[in-house]
Structures are given as C-alpha cells and as structure tokens.
Amino acid sequence: MLKEQEINLIALVERFHDEDKCRIYLEKLRWPEGIRCSRCGSDKISRIMTRNQLDCDSCRYRFSITAGTIFHDSHLPLWKWFVAVYLIVESKKGISANQLRRTLGTTYRTAWHLSHRVRAAFKEVDAQLLKGIVEADETFVGGKVEGMGRGYTDNKVVVVRAIERGGTIRLQVVKGGDRETLQGFIRENVAGETQAIYTDELPSYLGIADHDTEHKTVNHSEKEYVRGDVHVNSVENIWSLLKRSIIGSYHQVSAKHLDAYLDELEFRFNNRENPHMFRDAMYKLLVANNLPYAKLIAQEEAK
Ligand SMILES: [Zn+2]
C-alpha cells in the first residue's frame, strides 16, 4: 500500500492538482504489485501515454487505469473527485450535495450523484461481527414530508444500531421495531459467542441471550440508565451525535435515503482513528460497483 503523510486540504491540492498525478495515485492503489490486464491477468502491459491507455501485450486488450470503476464514466475530472472524497470523509458531520456543488463548482445533479456513489461505495459488505460487550438500541426517525402535518407517520422508519464497546458501530434502517426485525439485525451483526448484549427493556429483545451470551437490560422508564456496567450510553451518545449531523447537514433526509447516509456516518465513525481514512475511502471507490445515474433514479422511483 501507498505511504501516506498526514493529509489536509492544502496537501491534497498540492499532491493532486492535475489529472496525471491523480491517475498515478489510483494506479498504485489499484495495482500495488504492478498493473495487470483486467481481462487476462497478464502483467505484460504497455502504456500508450498520449491517450492514457494501457495495452495488454498478451491479449491486446486496451483499458485505462480507471476502467470499470466509479471514476470511469464520470465527466468530473479526477482531482474534483479527490477533493469531494476528502471533504466527505473529513467533515465531522458530513457535507450536503448543495455544499459540494458550491465548493466544486458543479451542477447540483453532479454533486448529488457523486455523493450517492460515494455513500454506496462506503457500504460495508463484509463487515466483521461485533463482539465482547455490545450495546444495541433503536429509535423512530421521522422523515419530513412536504405538505404533511406533524402526525404523518408514513415516512417514519426505525433506525437500529449496535456498537461494540470501544469498537465499531453498525447502523441500519429497518421496517419496524418488532422482535423478528430487531433480533435479526443483532444476529446479522453480532458474533454468536459474544459475551453480552445490553439493550433497553423493549420486549422485542427478550430471548436474545443464549448459553454463551448474556442479555442485560436497562430500564429507561424508571430512569435507571446505569446499573453498574450495564448501560447503553455509548450507543445513545453516538446516536445523538449522528442524529445531529443528519439534521444539521442534510436538513431533510427522506426515509428512503437514510440508509445510505447511515453507511456514510458508519464509515466515518468506524475510521475515526484511521490515519489512512482518505486512502481507504479512495480504495473503496475503486473497487465498488458503479452506481450509474439512471440506476440511482430507477431505485428512487421503485421505492
Ligand atoms: Zn490481457
């Protein structure tokens, strides 16, 4: 992997102010052992410098450094992608599409599509299961719907979360607060042999214990927030922070986009002490499935 000094916006612009520098960075990140043909795997590759093309000496396949990646079908210059990713991972509370539009001098549509693709790339596909002491809880989050009054609940969703004490967090939008849904979320995200799961007293969590996992609860209604070590304060504190960032930066997140925002928040939180967060974010973008604009719009309409 690349060596990386501390990165800030000035260093970023100095290092990546032109397209060639960005391409070299992506090339090293994508092929740390040297370029391989993406069709036949050969490492006998010639460069066609004038056209930024790579030519496989074995199968004659021509490709570019960004072929098959998110960056490929984008009209946005690479250096703008670099700045956008930097701004997204470095901002404590996230950055809205509107703010990106202003900062990068793009159209709103470009900024919006870019932030969605970055979020999609951040989605953890093979996340490690949480273990040790895990706190889990849930809240209803109301998405605002224009023209609808306060009592309107159709746009409300449940956000569930689980955190390993001192470790990483998982956030997810689910359809309800019932037992099957909440326990399903815990089973998918927490190691079966984890030491203990702490929750509030919602009946949906009953029966989550087994022979090697304790289940302890905190009774919120009786103001018994802490009983010795049994509390769900870590997960609640982080959630109140994240909730502020959703409200603060994105103003009105509709329920259907909330899951994608949660992926972004999760990535940022889980990498809070990672000095290579920018590099790792760029790597995720390189290997992520592309999310074409047409598909994004279709997903929107299907919801
Ligand atoms: Zn080849």
Side-chain angles (χ1 to χ4, degrees):
M1 277 293 180
L2 298 172
K3 266 214 227 144
E4 189 152 348
Q5 57 271 55
E6 185 97 355
I7 205 152
N8 59 36
L9 189 57
I10 302 300
L12 185 90
V13 173
E14 274 172 4
R15 275 180 75 184
F16 302 117
H17 59 273
D18 75 52
E19 293 296 281
D20 283 339
K21 292 203 162 67
C22 295
R23 259 193 294 273
I24 291 166
Y25 183 83
L26 293 178
E27 177 188 319
K28 299 234 166 85
L29 201 53
R30 189 174 184 184
W31 295 287
E33 317 279 321
I35 304 175
R36 295 208 164 248
C37 171
S38 44
R39 184 190 276 167
C40 74
S42 163
D43 60 357
K44 305 267 181 294
I45 307 290
S46 306
R47 289 171 193 271
I48 308 168
M49 290 313 278
T50 48
R51 294 174 52 221
N52 292 316
Q53 291 282 299
L54 303 163
D55 188 26
C56 173
D57 295 342
S58 309
C59 77
R60 308 313 320 172
Y61 183 56
R62 279 194 179 182
F63 56 105
S64 70
I65 283 158
T66 54
T69 73
I70 270 176
F71 306 104
H72 188 63
D73 70 346
S74 167
H75 301 300
L76 206 63
L78 288 174
W79 73 267
K80 287 199 178 186
W81 272 100
F82 278 53
V83 172
V85 171
Y86 173 80
L87 293 174
I88 290 170
V89 298
E90 278 299 316
S91 63
K92 290 276 172 288
K93 294 177 173 180
I95 179 164
S96 68
N98 228 336
Q99 202 179 331
L100 265 186
R101 169 190 69 79
R102 287 195 302 269
T103 312
L104 298 176
T106 65
T107 62
Y108 180 78
R109 184 185 130 133
T110 299
W112 182 81
H113 186 201
L114 180 143
S115 24
H116 272 284
R117 287 198 285 187
V118 170
R119 276 182 209 117
F122 284 173
K123 191 167 187 63
E124 282 286 359
V125 270
D126 266 323
Q128 283 201 334
L129 295 174
L130 306 179
K131 55 187 189 323
I133 294 176
V134 175
E135 296 176 25
D137 76 347
E138 74 302 313
T139 12
F140 281 85
V141 176
K144 280 186 206 155
V145 175
E146 202 119 333
M148 303 303 263
R150 261 173 170 270
Y152 181 77
T153 55
D154 276 13
N155 204 33
K156 282 204 169 178
V157 289
V158 178
V159 173
V160 282
R161 49 225 179 243
I163 187 170
E164 176 179 318
R165 288 243 176 117
T168 59
I169 198 166
R170 303 280 176 268
L171 303 160
Q172 198 181 315
V173 171
V174 292
K175 57 180 172 29
D178 58 281
R179 184 187 181 114
E180 196 189 333
T181 308
L182 295 188
Q183 297 204 9
F185 166 75
I186 290 177
R187 271 193 301 276
E188 271 172 36
N189 290 284
V190 179
E193 70 284 7
T194 200
Q195 182 192 337
I197 298 170
Y198 296 169
T199 68
D200 57 34
E201 286 201 321
L202 197 74
S204 303
Y205 293 113
L206 291 177
I208 195 77
D210 61 21
H211 68 282
D212 55 7
T213 303
E214 269 188 296
H215 176 214
K216 291 187 176 174
T217 60
V218 189
N219 185 347
H220 281 184
S221 55
E222 288 176 16
K223 298 261 179 272
E224 182 211 31
Y225 286 87
V226 182
R227 179 165 23 96
D229 184 44
V230 182
H231 62 82
V232 290
N233 291 349
S234 327
V235 76
E236 282 179 356
N237 291 343
I238 292 156
W239 175 242
S240 64
L241 192 88
L242 299 181
K243 207 162 58 180
R244 273 202 300 278
S245 90
I246 293 173
I247 294 161
S249 310
Y250 305 115
H251 308 294
Q252 306 156 305
V253 173
S254 65
K256 61 188 174 188
H257 286 313
L258 188 56
D259 219 11
Y261 287 101
L262 295 181
D263 290 335
E264 182 191 331
L265 296 176
E266 198 180 294
F267 176 84
R268 211 183 289 120
F269 182 83
N270 291 344
N271 285 281
R272 64 199 180 279
E273 282 164 15
N274 176 5
H276 304 295
M277 177 155 68
F278 174 76
R279 180 199 66 193
D280 293 351
M282 292 305 287
Y283 184 74
K284 272 181 163 287
L285 261 72
L286 269 177
V287 298
N289 281 327
N290 209 341
L291 184 61
Y293 191 75
K295 194 175 155 202
L296 188 59
I297 296 297
Q299 280 177 0
E300 287 273 278
E301 284 167 357
K303 279 176 182 166

